[in-house]
Amino acid sequence: MSRKSLLAKVLLGGAAIAIAGSGTAIAQDNSGQTNASSGGSEEIVVTAQRREEAIQDVPIAVSALSASQLQDQGLTGGYDLLQAVPNVSFSKGNFTGYNFQIRGVGALVVAAGADAGVSVHLNNAPLTANRLFEADFYDVSRVEVLRGPQGTLYGRNATGGVVNVISTQPGPDFEATLRGEWGNYNEQRYTAILNLPLANNLAFRIAGTGLSRDGFWHN
């Protein structure tokens, strides 16, 4: 699919207030590999065990993808994780269901009340009814995929593993971004982000996205 991108700074309107705590910038990489930068190698920090720690100290098979990696690799939604995370497979089922598997463990039962074998979390909060296969990754700080049973840390329905989506938190720096993408079949995708510091430890952040595309099957 041909696609072009446009990045511009704009001012956007909205209303949402959140507390922005002080902290250090963190960087993640897939499968625990660091990227060299102008200032040297970066420490990879994850919250796979519900606390911030270096990925080398986590005794779990975990892959972490930062926002820049999601964008560079074209991972726009949950269904794209199988392209970048080992031991992950995905298939669409009947009745709007899906089967997201880690190491072969997922959900093969076609029923509204069936439990998935992979637990999906947003900021470490479980999403019992989720649409991972339709979810778009926008304004996301990182995505963590924990492989293997995680019932001790995350409780029920984590026999295959956990997908943990961490959203970007309000920060002390002003940010206003509008990103536009377009491609064939009249595809248009827009993402808008506004981060506005209000006072010490208080900031406002809002983000939104939209996607439209024509059909590509012809009878």
Side-chain angles (χ1 to χ4, degrees):
M1 177 178 294
S2 59
R3 180 176 294 176
K4 299 180 181 179
S5 297
L6 173 66
L7 182 64
K9 292 184 177 179
V10 297
L11 291 178
L12 305 173
I17 295 179
I19 301 297
S22 60
T24 57
I26 57 179
Q28 301 79 29
D29 201 350
N30 185 24
S31 300
Q33 298 178 355
T34 57
N35 285 332
S37 62
S38 58
S41 60
E42 299 174 329
E43 182 183 35
I44 304 170
V45 179
V46 297
T47 54
Q49 297 191 110
R50 297 183 179 272
R51 61 179 181 271
E52 290 189 357
E53 54 189 336
I55 194 171
Q56 293 86 351
D57 299 332
V58 179
I60 300 173
V62 55
S63 296
L65 295 163
S66 65
S68 60
Q69 290 174 318
L70 293 172
Q71 178 179 336
D72 293 342
Q73 299 182 36
L75 308 179
T76 59
Y79 47 84
D80 289 330
L81 291 177
L82 59 90
Q83 302 178 20
V85 181
N87 312 121
V88 166
S89 63
F90 166 83
S91 61
K92 187 73 179 294
N94 296 324
F95 310 109
T96 70
Y98 70 98
N99 183 18
F100 191 90
Q101 294 181 323
I102 298 179
R103 292 177 175 174
V105 179
L108 296 175
V109 180
V110 181
D115 292 334
V118 176
S119 182
V120 179
H121 292 240
L122 177 63
N123 296 327
N124 289 317
L127 301 178
T128 305
N130 65 84
R131 311 286 288 185
L132 179 64
F133 64 96
E134 294 178 340
D136 283 339
F137 292 150
Y138 70 97
D139 199 30
V140 170
S141 175
R142 67 183 179 275
V143 177
E144 301 172 355
V145 180
L146 288 69
R147 299 187 293 278
Q150 306 299 329
T152 302
L153 286 173
Y154 290 91
R156 181 186 172 195
N157 300 338
T159 55
V162 170
V163 178
N164 197 13
V165 180
I166 307 296
S167 59
T168 303
Q169 300 301 310
D173 299 324
F174 174 80
E175 176 186 358
T177 304
L178 175 64
R179 180 181 300 278
E181 302 178 13
W182 60 94
N184 54 345
Y185 301 107
N186 197 29
E187 180 188 9
Q188 299 180 22
R189 182 191 300 267
Y190 300 98
T191 302
I193 301 172
L194 174 64
N195 187 92
L196 183 64
L198 301 177
N200 292 334
N201 296 327
L202 182 64
F204 161 101
R205 187 178 186 91
I206 188 172
T209 187
L211 171 65
S212 64
R213 188 181 66 177
D214 294 339
F216 51 88
W217 285 103
H218 299 280
N219 188 348

